[in-house]
Amino acid sequence: MNYSLISQSFKNARKENRPALLTYTVAGDNTKKTSLRILKSISKYADICELGFPHNTPIADGGQIQTSSYRAIKNGIKINDIFSIVNDFKKNKNNKPIILMGYYNMIYQYGENKFLKKCKKVKVDGIIVVDLPYPENKIFASKCKNNKINFIQLISPTTSKKRLKQIIKDSHEMIYYISMLSTTGGKLKVSPKKILQEYKKIKNQNKYKNVVIGFGITEKTISSLKMADGLVVGSALCKEISTSLKKRQNPVKNVTNVVKRLKNKIL
Amino acid sequence: MKLKKKTPLIDQHDKYGFWGGKFGGSFIPETLKKPIEDLTKEFHKLRKDRKFIKKRDFYFKNYIGSPTSFIKLENLSNHLGGAQIWAKVVSEANGGAHKIYNATVHALICKSMGKKYIVGDTGAGYAGKMLSMAAKKFGLKCKIFMGAKDIKRQKPNCDAMKKNGAEIVPVYSGSQTLVDAVSECMRYWVSNCDNTHMAVGSTVGPNIFVKICGWSTAQISRELKVQLKKEFKKIPKKIKLINCVGGGSSAYGFWSEFIDYDKKQIELIGVEAGGPKKSQLHAAPLSRNAKIGILHGAASYVCQNNEGQIKETESISAGLDYPGVSPIHCFLKDTKRARYTYATDEEALQAYKMVTKFEKLNPSLEPSHAFAEAIKIAPRLNKDTIIIVNSCGDAKKDRDILKKKLGKY
């Protein structure tokens, strides 16, 4: 799996002496078309785009992402639409990695193999499954590898030392560190110093893995964590979409501005 | 797929927590891995600890009021003709339902783990009410997550929770019922697992919660076994144990001691919520053949659409109004040890009317579903057949619904 788009993006960011910026938006929020336009537009500033496939009983998402997910589902988004969003996106932005993120039941109902075949076809670069932890994810992760798709392992502040070693050993090119005990979009309740300490524990195990930090990252907090390989912003973007819709403003423009500002803070 | 004899059903899972290789498991975010591992270790230690068992039995007897009575419903049996109908009146337990067993055990575990806060979900409000009682009894701070729709329709239980000093957190997301309450409770635990213990209100959720709950409610069938022997000298030749099934905690508790018996001798019948007669919606994943899916950390039969989105459910009884079901009931279904059927809202109401007309018993809308099945099959059976219904909840909490539907309570 050498030289994947994901690794390349981290390399490029490193060359510019900054962390990679990862965005998370929900596919179909608020419509299929808008979400594609948002994706295309923010990818000018983002290095890697995560695209959530919305589920209606998310057990690890906070209010902002829940709202986005319910909105997308209400507007009729289906898994096949999500693949067509990626397909469309990749036609113009061939070099921008896309990571799909969601809950296992959706993959399970679609069928693991069929899901991965589709992912490969539309050129999905990575997959995060929130509720399929290690070691239960071993089989699925290796299936991803066989399809040249990165399976991204999650590590949290509660992960034990022993697990940490095992997870890193079994991980692919990228690891996602959850900054704190929280659902997505919580207020950052741990000091950046503490977060970076934990982050370094992962890097010390294997410095070649690209480790990103997510949860609680906003325009206010992003610069304090910029020594990481990558930083993920999700809820702040979902919130911006909600606010824009409420104010009858253009979410594409507004979200792009947020991403642009985020980028400027880590340059 | 096969059941093992002489091993409690709650322990018949593989190393990943699956019953029958496909039901259950622990589909959880990474953050919960450690707290769940800790809880698993603690529970395995405690259930072997004689002192802990002694403590549990002490509180079951002196606080919950075990054993609950086992009575013959003479008038109802005579009226229907056919099988004898008996009831295990679990609603006599402190607080008015079986949920007190699970709540008490969770409070004891929470204490033993040195945590000061306990959180739980609730549908009908019984799990919440009992957890708030147990929390008060053992000096724990308690938060209960409850769907906004359920808060409205189960007011008496909400009042009780508040009286016990618990904070009720209304959940406005999704359908605003139990399914959303469980999600929100889990999300809260993800954020606060360092100092907070979570009690899942039924035999659902990640593997360890299924086990703790089943281990707690099993008290019901231990009592019943003794009572049967006392009443009939030995276990009768033809028994039907009928229980309502939402998540399935009272049914498992009612059946656990009898699973090893031949089903020709002891038939296990689970009755799910069929919803309003004319509605497409229901809460009956087992009897209406839902597909396997993952909900709240476990694989089970789940009411869902083709995409894997969880479907809204509809039932007059908040306690059964849940799209998933315990993995152990899925296992009992697929091994054909138990039979699952459903009763509609209307049938449950009719059953409630009939039982209360003939007997001094006031079953809530949940066990009224079980009574509906008993009433349906009793006339076709002979006098030697012993039907036992688990009357696992008291109808006090349903007074507003019953008033509205039947014009009186």
Side-chain angles (χ1 to χ4, degrees), chain B residues 19-55:
Chain B
W19 282 272
K22 59 179 179 181
F23 301 117
S26 290
F27 295 88
I28 48 172
E30 174 63 23
T31 306
L32 291 184
K33 265 278 175 183
K34 177 77 172 27
I36 281 189
E37 205 182 279
D38 292 347
L39 177 59
T40 306
K41 273 190 206 147
E42 184 76 13
F43 177 63
H44 284 276
K45 191 186 87 195
L46 291 176
R47 67 188 282 199
K48 280 188 210 135
D49 179 351
R50 267 205 215 137
K51 263 197 218 145
F52 184 77
I53 302 286
K54 232 175 142 181
K55 210 194 268 176

Side-chain angles (χ1 to χ4, degrees), chain A residues 64-176:
Chain A
Q64 304 298 347
I65 293 180
Q66 279 180 53
T67 304
S68 282
S69 300
Y70 292 139
R71 195 157 53 210
I73 295 166
K74 203 175 149 212
N75 287 338
I77 198 79
K78 297 272 179 337
I79 299 182
N80 281 332
D81 298 326
I82 297 162
F83 288 127
S84 88
I85 291 174
V86 178
N87 194 37
D88 212 326
F89 175 81
K90 284 280 184 172
K91 267 185 208 153
N92 305 321
K93 308 259 181 182
N94 213 354
N95 289 324
K96 204 55 84 170
I98 287 273
I99 294 172
L100 289 187
M101 178 168 183
Y103 290 83
Y104 185 60
N105 195 37
M106 315 265 306
I107 299 172
Y108 184 75
Q109 297 311 323
Y110 201 84
E112 280 188 357
N113 296 334
K114 196 177 145 202
F115 188 87
L116 288 173
K117 219 172 123 188
K118 260 290 176 69
C119 284
K120 198 177 172 186
K121 198 175 154 206
V122 301
K123 302 201 182 85
V124 167
D125 300 278
I127 297 179
I128 301 174
V129 190
V130 180
D131 56 349
L132 195 63
Y134 181 87
E136 282 90 342
N137 59 30
K138 271 184 160 178
I139 295 170
F140 185 67
S142 73
K143 277 187 189 172
C144 287
K145 204 166 193 173
N146 293 339
N147 282 289
K148 296 203 166 51
I149 295 168
N150 259 280
F151 182 83
I152 291 143
Q153 298 280 1
L154 296 146
I155 287 175
S156 99
T158 56
T159 306
S160 67
K161 241 189 199 163
K162 195 176 147 206
R163 264 181 79 73
L164 188 79
K165 274 189 186 164
Q166 291 167 330
I167 294 175
I168 295 171
K169 198 168 146 261
D170 263 37
S171 66
H172 299 166
E173 294 163 26
M174 173 182 153
I175 293 171
Y176 191 130

Side-chain angles (χ1 to χ4, degrees), chain B residues 149-212:
Chain B
K149 183 178 166 190
D150 291 337
I151 291 179
K152 263 188 215 146
R153 62 177 166 170
Q154 308 278 236
K155 192 170 174 298
N157 276 347
C158 293
D159 295 343
M161 283 181 247
K162 279 183 213 148
K163 227 177 101 190
N164 291 328
E167 180 192 343
I168 303 176
V169 183
V171 179
Y172 295 103
S173 57
S175 58
Q176 312 194 357
T177 58
L178 178 58
V179 64
D180 310 292
V182 179
S183 303
E184 193 59 31
C185 185
M186 286 187 131
R187 289 191 282 257
Y188 181 85
W189 199 41
V190 169
S191 304
N192 299 280
C193 53
D194 47 351
N195 61 11
T196 302
H197 176 73
M198 179 173 78
V200 176
S202 187
T203 40
V204 298
N207 172 283
I208 186 61
F209 292 101
V210 177
K211 295 184 70 161
I212 293 174

Side-chain angles (χ1 to χ4, degrees), chain B residues 317-335:
Chain B
S317 98
L320 305 181
D321 205 351
Y322 185 68
V325 66
S326 177
I328 48 184
H329 285 294
C330 300
F331 189 39
L332 286 172
K333 182 194 169 182
D334 276 23
T335 52

